Amino acid sequence: MSHYKSKWIKLIAEENPNATAPLPAIHIVKSNKKRIRYNPKKEIMRKIITITSICVMGIMAARAQDHAVLAQDTMTVYRKKIDKLDKEIIHLLGDRMQAARTIGAYKVKHKVAVVQPDRFNKVLQQAVIEGEKVGLSADFVKKLYEDVHTESVRQEEELKQKAITQRKD
Ligand SMILES: C=C(O[C@@H]1C=C(C(=O)O)C=C[C@H]1O)C(=O)O
């Protein structure tokens, strides 16, 4: 009787010692003192469904994990890129301010006004055109350049004030 792998078949076989395999498709079997209907075909289907469900869940979990790892990798890669670009932006702004300070020193020496609206309008126009080429809105570029201009004027004024103070001393 050991060739009956399923516990149900074993149970049936024990209850029907004279039965010859294969046993009839549907039996009433005793389990925990209760009598239940047993259909071997249904049991096989149930097993197939259970195994398939476990496999599908496993595949889905593995895929979800892959997506999470990929998203994490993408974030790490692009955040590193942003950090590098931000550093370059700050260094470029520093170089730009240095150029503005040099112009500022020239203006002090030759008594030229710090704020040059015509020049700034040209700078602004050029920046808007360049920005459009790389997907930056005119509004954003204008706001950014207003701030940059304010800072270069502040730094030029600072130089001018220092020069005036030095002349007095
Ligand atoms: C740097 C200058 O000084 C000021 C600052 C400007 C700028 O930051 O682009 C432009 C014009 C000026 O108002 C300059 O005259 O070129």
Side-chain angles (χ1 to χ4, degrees), residues 51-114:
I51 292 164
T52 311
S53 307
I54 291 167
C55 288
V56 168
M57 283 192 295
I59 291 165
M60 279 167 73
R63 277 179 143 202
Q65 208 177 355
D66 279 358
H67 278 299
V69 168
L70 244 147
Q72 196 54 45
D73 284 355
T74 308
M75 294 259 295
T76 311
V77 167
Y78 282 90
R79 280 188 175 166
K80 261 191 192 157
K81 192 181 171 131
I82 284 178
D83 288 348
K84 190 174 166 274
L85 289 169
D86 281 350
K87 210 171 172 179
E88 283 174 30
I89 290 170
I90 294 295
H91 281 266
L92 287 172
L93 281 173
D95 290 351
R96 191 188 195 281
M97 286 306 158
Q98 181 55 59
R101 282 196 299 270
T102 306
I103 292 173
Y106 177 92
K107 285 174 181 170
V108 171
K109 198 174 169 193
H110 296 90
K111 297 195 167 41
V112 176
V114 167

Side-chain angles (χ1 to χ4, degrees), residues 95-160:
D95 290 351
R96 191 188 195 281
M97 286 306 158
Q98 181 55 59
R101 282 196 299 270
T102 306
I103 292 173
Y106 177 92
K107 285 174 181 170
V108 171
K109 198 174 169 193
H110 296 90
K111 297 195 167 41
V112 176
V114 167
V115 179
Q116 300 281 326
D118 288 350
R119 167 63 186 159
F120 181 59
N121 280 336
K122 197 181 171 201
V123 167
L124 206 55
Q125 267 180 19
Q126 286 171 172
V128 168
I129 290 167
E130 281 308 304
E132 276 169 354
K133 289 181 196 168
V134 292
L136 303 176
S137 74
D139 255 18
F140 167 71
V141 174
K142 278 179 191 165
K143 272 193 271 175
L144 182 70
Y145 269 75
E146 292 292 349
D147 284 350
V148 169
H149 185 240
T150 301
E151 179 61 8
S152 56
V153 167
R154 188 193 68 79
Q155 293 207 14
E156 282 184 50
E157 287 290 359
E158 201 176 70
L159 270 176
K160 192 176 166 182

Side-chain angles (χ1 to χ4, degrees), residues 13-41:
E14 279 161 19
E15 283 201 340
N16 307 279
N18 301 322
T20 49
L23 288 156
I26 297 169
H27 310 279
I28 304 292
V29 296
K30 222 192 251 174
S31 167
N32 298 332
K33 289 175 190 162
K34 266 194 273 169
R35 289 199 159 255
I36 59 156
R37 230 170 212 285
Y38 168 70
N39 183 338
K41 274 186 191 165

